[in-house]
Amino acid sequence: MTAPVFDPEFRKKLDELFLWRRDVRHFRRDPVPEPVLDHLLDLTCATPSVGLSQPWRFMRVDDAGRREAVKAEFTRCNAEALARRDEGDSAAYARLKLAGLDDAPHHVAVFCDPDPAQGRGLGRLTMPETVHWSAVMAIHSFWLAAQAQNVGLGWVSILDPDRMKTILEAEPEWQFMAYLCVGYPEQDHGTPELERRGWEQRCAERRHWIRR
Ligand SMILES: Cc1cc2nc3c(=O)[nH]c(=O)nc-3n(C[C@H](O)[C@H](O)[C@H](O)COP(=O)(O)O)c2cc1C
């Protein structure tokens, strides 16, 4: 295999990919072609993982009954989150759209196998949580790869992990990591939705993140 050469034009596009990747909550209903979805999930398997353990477990959720149960679980958890907000910002919270579960044509649950045989335990003795980090990295790979196909992804975490395992009949040892809504976005945006709705602002100042 010959290594590719990444030229300036590619780098410019890659910068744009990073800057235009969004958490999407407003989806068109037309499906993403199955070969595209397969390609995205295949690419995701190239994600780095501790000890090459590849602990991510992706589950396509197509069953209407399961999807309804997930929506009900989101509604329950979101109502609880709203009830716990201070009076000062509960109205602003209530106005946010925090999931695109109704319209997204594809739903993907992500789990982590916390003790996979693959990788033979390498790198996990002192920091067992690195398997979870590996699974999160896989989600980010999926997110960026999707964006490169102009496919949007919305991460839903306002869910109870144990209830999600029951709803989705996951393997007993798997741990719930994320529920992803996938589909073509209604619109593309250069800024996060939470920023556009005045909830929070992205801080781009390097000194905020990097110490010397
Ligand atoms: C671990 C994680 C959990 C998230 N959970 C939710 C969620 O439950 N609902 C939601 O609307 N967005 C969720 N998001 C998306 C963030 O709100 C979003 O990434 C952030 O506002 C920045 O916007 P951007 O991704 O468009 O740049 C989550 C993101 C991450 C990384």
Side-chain angles (χ1 to χ4, degrees), residues 90-126:
S90 63
Y93 183 89
R95 281 195 295 274
L96 296 175
K97 181 169 169 63
L98 294 171
L101 293 164
D102 288 327
D103 294 335
H106 310 284
H107 291 195
V108 179
V110 188
F111 298 87
C112 177
D113 182 342
D115 190 20
Q118 192 176 332
R120 298 158 59 192
L122 191 147
R124 288 196 266 133
L125 188 61
T126 51

Side-chain angles (χ1 to χ4, degrees), residues 21-23 25 97-99 143 155-158 192 194:
R21 180 217 47 80
R22 287 278 73 76
D23 184 83
R25 297 116 194 226
K97 181 169 169 63
L98 294 171
W143 210 337
W155 185 323
V156 187
S157 58
I158 304 168
L194 292 185

Side-chain angles (χ1 to χ4, degrees), residues 111-182:
F111 298 87
C112 177
D113 182 342
D115 190 20
Q118 192 176 332
R120 298 158 59 192
L122 191 147
R124 288 196 266 133
L125 188 61
T126 51
M127 296 179 72
E129 62 274 27
T130 46
V131 279
H132 297 93
W133 299 348
S134 304
V136 171
M137 290 180 76
I139 298 171
H140 195 220
S141 299
F142 186 56
W143 210 337
L144 289 172
Q147 186 69 39
Q149 299 275 355
N150 304 308
V151 171
L153 182 152
W155 185 323
V156 187
S157 58
I158 304 168
L159 299 162
D160 179 88
D162 289 333
R163 286 180 185 240
M164 288 301 289
K165 273 186 66 171
T166 306
I167 291 168
L168 299 173
E169 295 179 70
E171 298 297 325
E173 69 276 16
W174 290 4
Q175 290 173 354
F176 177 75
M177 302 294 292
Y179 198 79
L180 309 177
C181 295
V182 180

